[in-house]
Amino acid sequence: MEPLFPLAPRYHLDDPQPWLRGIDPARRYWLWVNGDESVGTTVPGLSVSSFEEFKQAILRFRGLEPGDRMDIRRIIDGCTIHCVAANCYAIADTIDGAPVWHLFDGETLESLLMTAHPDWQPAPSDVELGRGMMERMFAQSMAA
């Protein structure tokens, strides 16, 4: 049996196959890799402390040209958005030990980044995603 080697497709908002599981209160994007509900991952999202910081981040994203990168720094984790080509952006990840780039069109990635707006509220079901992750983290630290 060959090991799983997922190649992430280019996600877009009107995908017939669901790929976005949710966005938790910490602005982590929960994805189904390739739309496969048995292979999930989280990608750190944009988190800001003010509207001005939010505005600057969105403008920086909109100004990316092919070959440019935009770092998303967070307290615990972060990621880099790579502008691969016109209207094609990538976020690197590792799934089952294999390197993967999640590809997004501009509209989709910008809509994810918009959740950094200070007034954004997660769906109640997405709050549970974050709560479950925190419970697992506490359980691991208690066991260690």
Side-chain angles (χ1 to χ4, degrees), residues 120-141:
W120 177 82
Q121 295 292 315
S125 59
D126 294 352
V127 171
E128 291 304 315
L129 292 172
R131 183 174 290 134
M133 177 179 258
M134 290 188 71
E135 287 172 358
R136 285 189 301 277
M137 287 173 42
F138 286 129
Q140 288 176 353
S141 66

Side-chain angles (χ1 to χ4, degrees), residues 56-67:
Q56 292 304 315
I58 296 298
L59 291 174
R60 202 166 61 243
F61 171 72
R62 289 179 179 171
L64 292 176
E65 297 288 330

Side-chain angles (χ1 to χ4, degrees), residues 41-109:
T41 190
T42 58
V43 175
L46 181 61
S47 184
V48 297
S49 58
S50 69
F51 179 75
E52 188 58 35
E53 190 179 349
F54 167 76
K55 182 178 166 186
Q56 292 304 315
I58 296 298
L59 291 174
R60 202 166 61 243
F61 171 72
R62 289 179 179 171
L64 292 176
E65 297 288 330
D68 290 348
R69 296 185 303 184
M70 177 179 159
D71 290 327
I72 294 180
R73 298 281 177 231
R74 298 166 48 109
I75 294 171
I76 297 174
D77 54 8
C79 69
T80 301
I81 297 172
H82 301 266
C83 182
V84 179
N87 199 30
C88 183
Y89 302 88
I91 297 177
D93 195 4
T94 302
I95 308 294
D96 292 336
V100 173
W101 275 28
H102 301 285
L103 301 177
F104 301 89
D105 63 17
E107 180 183 18
T108 302
L109 191 50

